[in-house]
């Protein structure tokens, strides 16, 4: 459909596309690669290219992407009421333990997790992943970043301009 977000993404200037793509994954090489391989005929083609680029992240690319995630990091809000203060305190402690052990921010894809379950899901995921060794955890974090980027790309490709 003419004027859809994917058409605009395909037609945009390289710098604008890279900036939009960097909001999906903070690796400059990943964003450049996706921008260079335009045009994409449809969303599945864009997502397949994003997956391929994600699987090809170097350790340096992954470090860059994880550092970008730490800038945008915010606590999940999935719970209010009795026990939520304790849960948020436990979450902050788990994040601190994770960052101390692995040297980067914790990332997890929350697509499909109901809002009221986010806090518990994140806390359980951090606790489970604290048992990983550094190499295993970088692989898990890379896969979570890939999944997060897919969701952000799908959202980006679905955004319609105001007034349409």
């Amino acid at each position: 459909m003419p004027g859809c977000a994917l058409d605009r993404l395909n037609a945009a200037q390289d710098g604008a596309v890279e900036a939009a793509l960097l909001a999906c994954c903070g690796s400059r090489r990943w964003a450049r690669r996706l921008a260079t391989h335009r045009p994409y005929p449809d969303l599945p083609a864009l997502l397949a290219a994003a997956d391929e680029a994600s699987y090809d992240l170097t350790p340096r690319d992954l470090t860059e992407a994880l550092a970008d995630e730490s800038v945008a990091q915010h606590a999940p809000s999935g719970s209010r009421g009795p026990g939520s203060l304790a849960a948020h305190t436990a979450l902050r402690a788990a994040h601190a333990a994770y960052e101390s052990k692995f040297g980067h921010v914790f990332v997890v894809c929350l697509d499909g997790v109901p809002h009221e379950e986010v806090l518990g899901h994140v806390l359980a995921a951090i606790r489970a992943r604290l048992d990983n060794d550094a190499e295993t955890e970088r692989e898990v974090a890379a896969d979570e970043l890939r999944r997060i980027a897919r969701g952000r790309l799908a959202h980006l490709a679905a955004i319609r301009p105001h007034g349409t």
Side-chain angles (χ1 to χ4, degrees), residues 77-146:
S77 61
S79 170
R80 297 221 192 295
S84 67
L85 179 59
H88 282 280
T89 300
L91 184 61
R92 280 192 300 279
H95 270 285
Y98 179 93
E99 289 181 27
S100 176
K101 180 174 181 177
F102 296 114
H104 59 80
V105 69
F106 175 79
V107 292
V108 64
C109 182
L110 297 171
D111 293 351
V113 176
H115 180 73
E116 64 276 4
E117 295 176 19
V118 166
L119 192 63
H121 182 85
V122 172
L123 188 54
I126 292 174
R127 288 178 173 160
R129 288 169 51 189
L130 276 168
D131 289 335
N132 290 343
D133 60 67
E135 183 178 330
T136 299
E137 183 52 29
R138 281 190 68 87
E139 291 172 9
V140 172
D143 192 54
E144 291 296 326
L145 279 174
R146 180 190 61 78

Side-chain angles (χ1 to χ4, degrees), residues 1-159:
M1 125 173 71
C4 76
L6 186 58
D7 289 341
R8 289 189 309 279
L9 186 76
N10 282 332
Q13 298 284 331
D14 286 344
V17 168
E18 286 184 27
L21 293 171
L22 279 169
C24 298
C25 176
S27 164
R28 287 185 303 267
R29 192 168 74 87
W30 181 90
R32 274 192 301 269
R33 183 170 170 180
L34 288 180
T36 300
H37 287 92
R38 291 175 301 153
Y40 296 100
D42 52 30
L43 180 59
L46 174 61
L47 295 178
D51 283 347
E52 185 178 326
S54 293
Y55 293 132
D56 290 342
L57 290 177
T58 66
R60 186 177 190 171
D61 297 331
L62 180 57
T63 296
E64 179 183 38
L66 287 168
D68 187 67
E69 289 297 316
S70 68
V71 171
Q73 188 76 11
H74 63 282
S77 61
S79 170
R80 297 221 192 295
S84 67
L85 179 59
H88 282 280
T89 300
L91 184 61
R92 280 192 300 279
H95 270 285
Y98 179 93
E99 289 181 27
S100 176
K101 180 174 181 177
F102 296 114
H104 59 80
V105 69
F106 175 79
V107 292
V108 64
C109 182
L110 297 171
D111 293 351
V113 176
H115 180 73
E116 64 276 4
E117 295 176 19
V118 166
L119 192 63
H121 182 85
V122 172
L123 188 54
I126 292 174
R127 288 178 173 160
R129 288 169 51 189
L130 276 168
D131 289 335
N132 290 343
D133 60 67
E135 183 178 330
T136 299
E137 183 52 29
R138 281 190 68 87
E139 291 172 9
V140 172
D143 192 54
E144 291 296 326
L145 279 174
R146 180 190 61 78
R147 293 177 58 221
I148 291 166
R150 284 180 63 89
R152 290 172 180 168
L153 277 171
H155 179 75
L156 179 67
I159 294 175

